[in-house]
Amino acid sequence: MIKKLFLLPGDGIGTEVMTEVELLIQWFNDRGIASFETESGLVGGSAYDAHGEAISDSDMALAMAADAVIFGAVGGPKWDSVPYDQRPEAGLLRLRKDMELFANLRPAICYPALAGASSLKKELVDGLDILIVRELTGGVYFGEPKTITDLGNGQKRAIDTQIYDTYEIDRVSRVAFEMARTRSNLVHSAEKRNVMKSGVLWNEVVTQVHKESYSDVKLEHILADNCGMQLVRAPKQFDVIVTDNLFGDILSDVAAMLTGSLGMLPSASLGAEDEKTGTRKALYEPVHGSAPDIAGKDYANPIATIGSFGMALRYSFGMGDWATKLDDAIAAVLDKGLRTRDLAQEGDKVISTAEMGKAIIAELDAIAG
Ligand code: NAD
């Protein structure tokens, strides 16, 4: 069956790391393992230069029709002064909104070869494999009212509103429970029910969904502040953490940094399951930005974007075995001491973006036999 991929490389190093993913896609096609059909579009600053907007309607339509979107990165100083609605990030926000991508998956995996590079002790992070599921389309970032009012007495008042409806908590917790079933079968649900009404509802709905549909999965409730503390104290106690948009933003960054460089971190954003086809709208992207400081130099680490493609294999195409093989290939390259500049320590061999991409494909080739 042909699988339709829509590639949006974006700006800066986005285009460099996407080239490595394209070579990997080609490898899967050449080997006859899968039949990927790709189309490419423009997003961010490059789309603004071409069309005057951060993503065109025609590229948006291609994204909506694809089986998965692979996104690079957007932004850069060149577009710092473009109008707010056309700024590079507006392209990504429109994709998330129009595709209704409500569940953001951020794995934090510590490859053995990089355990020494973490800011935590090696034994705390060696073999770490956790997944944060963050609610992405609701909560305090979107709730209304959202205002700053001049009180007229030299004071101003700022208001943000945290809102969650039952269905929003229900659907994201289902994603977390489903993910846990494919992993170590444990979900921690993080909220602040001790001080927030939205935390009380969050706790209630997750408990209900668990009781109704996922009682085979172990569920623990944890206060979000304690979750942050436990993540740096003993991160290996976690498997899947599900939480709201605000806490997820913070906790996923904490978890991410346990594993070293920004250049290593993949992510996936998933929409609702189509009842007829069982498929979901999905966008896969590295966590990092367009890194203008190293763009065009062949320094960028492509592993975050290659890992994001690995997540597409697992979550959009039912190719979890190949996602695991791809992870093994990345681990093998790192075991050999090959490093892009962001990962390099004394004695490591520093290689370019293209060399890293090529080395991973060579290992995958060897693993595939
Ligand atoms: P950044 O992630 O682009 O870079 C932060 C630092 O990490 C830089 O020193 C960079 O060189 C390094 N880095 C990032 N990715 C790397 C990789 N793959 N390999 C090696 N080193 C890497 O964040 P920033 O500097 O704050 O932002 C730069 C631009 O990217 C801004 O315009 C920002 O708005 C945009 N941005 C976009 C996204 C996105 O597209 N999702 C995310 C964050 C930032």
Side-chain angles (χ1 to χ4, degrees):
M1 220 170 68
I2 290 179
K3 304 172 198 309
K4 278 195 289 181
L5 288 169
F6 186 47
L7 309 182
L8 287 170
D11 310 316
I13 63 166
T15 57
E16 298 167 45
V17 292
M18 191 65 80
T19 301
E20 303 314 310
V21 172
E22 288 182 79
L23 293 171
L24 188 56
I25 293 168
Q26 190 60 48
W27 181 87
F28 275 96
N29 283 345
D30 290 348
R31 277 275 195 143
I33 298 163
S35 194
F36 290 115
E37 197 178 271
T38 58
E39 272 194 271
S40 293
L42 296 175
V43 69
S46 56
Y48 178 79
D49 288 347
H51 312 297
E53 53 192 346
I55 186 162
S56 65
D57 288 344
S58 57
D59 278 347
M60 225 17 261
L62 288 170
M64 296 294 276
D67 295 316
V69 176
I70 314 285
F71 183 97
V74 292
K78 182 178 173 198
W79 302 284
D80 276 351
S81 55
V82 304
Y84 186 75
D85 286 347
Q86 280 107 44
R87 71 199 191 284
E89 289 78 6
L92 180 57
L93 294 180
R94 180 168 175 203
L95 283 159
R96 286 181 182 161
K97 183 161 173 280
D98 290 8
M99 294 170 73
E100 289 185 67
L101 305 173
F102 64 83
N104 183 227
L105 275 48
R106 295 256 307 251
I109 296 169
C110 188
Y111 293 96
L114 297 185
S118 170
S119 54
L120 294 192
K121 289 191 203 99
K122 191 172 190 278
E123 61 272 21
L124 289 182
V125 293
D126 198 0
L128 179 80
D129 180 1
I130 59 186
L131 179 68
I132 304 225
V133 179
R134 164 188 171 194
E135 200 290 324
L136 197 61
T137 50
V140 75
Y141 293 168
F142 298 100
E144 296 285 347
K146 193 177 203 43
T147 53
I148 299 181
T149 314
D150 198 328
L151 299 178
N153 58 354
Q155 297 284 306
K156 290 182 182 176
R157 176 171 298 154
I159 301 179
D160 290 292
T161 308
Q162 164 91 339
I163 303 184
Y164 272 109
D165 288 356
T166 304
Y167 80 95
E168 296 174 285
I169 306 168
D170 181 295
R171 64 185 183 180
V172 75
S173 62
R174 284 178 193 279
V175 170
F177 287 123
E178 296 286 343
M179 295 294 154
R181 276 184 176 160
T182 68
R183 299 167 47 92
S184 300
N185 224 29
L186 170 63
V187 171
H188 280 78
S189 168
E191 31 62 14
K192 290 279 289 175
R193 64 188 178 281
N194 52 342
V195 285
M196 295 172 77
K197 289 292 178 198
S198 56
V200 173
L201 184 66
W202 186 281
N203 184 284
E204 241 175 67
V205 176
V206 173
T207 304
Q208 187 64 21
V209 169
H210 176 250
K211 197 168 136 204
E212 271 171 21
S213 314
Y214 298 97
S215 54
D216 55 303
V217 181
K218 189 159 190 275
L219 169 65
E220 302 270 359
H221 296 283
I222 186 167
L223 294 177
D225 49 343
N226 184 28
C227 188
M229 197 168 74
Q230 296 298 330
L231 270 173
V232 290
R233 193 187 70 84
K236 283 194 262 186
Q237 68 185 290
F238 295 107
D239 176 28
V240 175
I241 297 171
V242 62
T243 190
D244 74 12
N245 202 344
L246 172 65
F247 297 138
D249 194 359
I250 299 163
L251 293 175
S252 61
D253 272 11
V254 173
M257 276 301 109
L258 301 174
T259 70
S261 162
L262 255 181
M264 297 294 297
L265 301 169
S267 80
S269 299
L270 307 180
E273 200 171 79
D274 181 312
E275 279 176 18
K276 281 197 208 112
T277 61
T279 58
R280 293 174 185 278
K281 293 226 180 328
L283 181 144
Y284 299 88
E285 58 170 325
V287 168
H288 63 73
S290 57
D293 54 333
I294 57 164
K297 295 185 172 158
D298 209 11
Y299 288 170
N301 183 349
I303 293 178
T305 314
I306 289 175
S308 302
F309 176 69
M311 291 184 83
L313 295 177
R314 191 180 298 281
Y315 298 123
S316 284
F317 301 124
M319 295 172 67
D321 50 343
W322 282 103
T324 303
K325 285 178 187 158
L326 182 55
D327 261 346
D328 292 346
I330 293 169
V333 169
L334 296 172
D335 276 344
K336 288 186 172 159
L338 301 177
R339 304 278 191 273
T340 40
R341 292 167 71 99
D342 54 312
L343 302 176
Q345 292 181 324
E346 285 263 328
D348 291 330
K349 180 164 165 42
V350 177
I351 58 175
S352 68
T353 310
E355 285 166 334
M356 180 56 91
K358 214 191 269 174
I360 292 170
I361 291 178
E363 285 297 339
L364 187 60
D365 213 41
I367 290 168

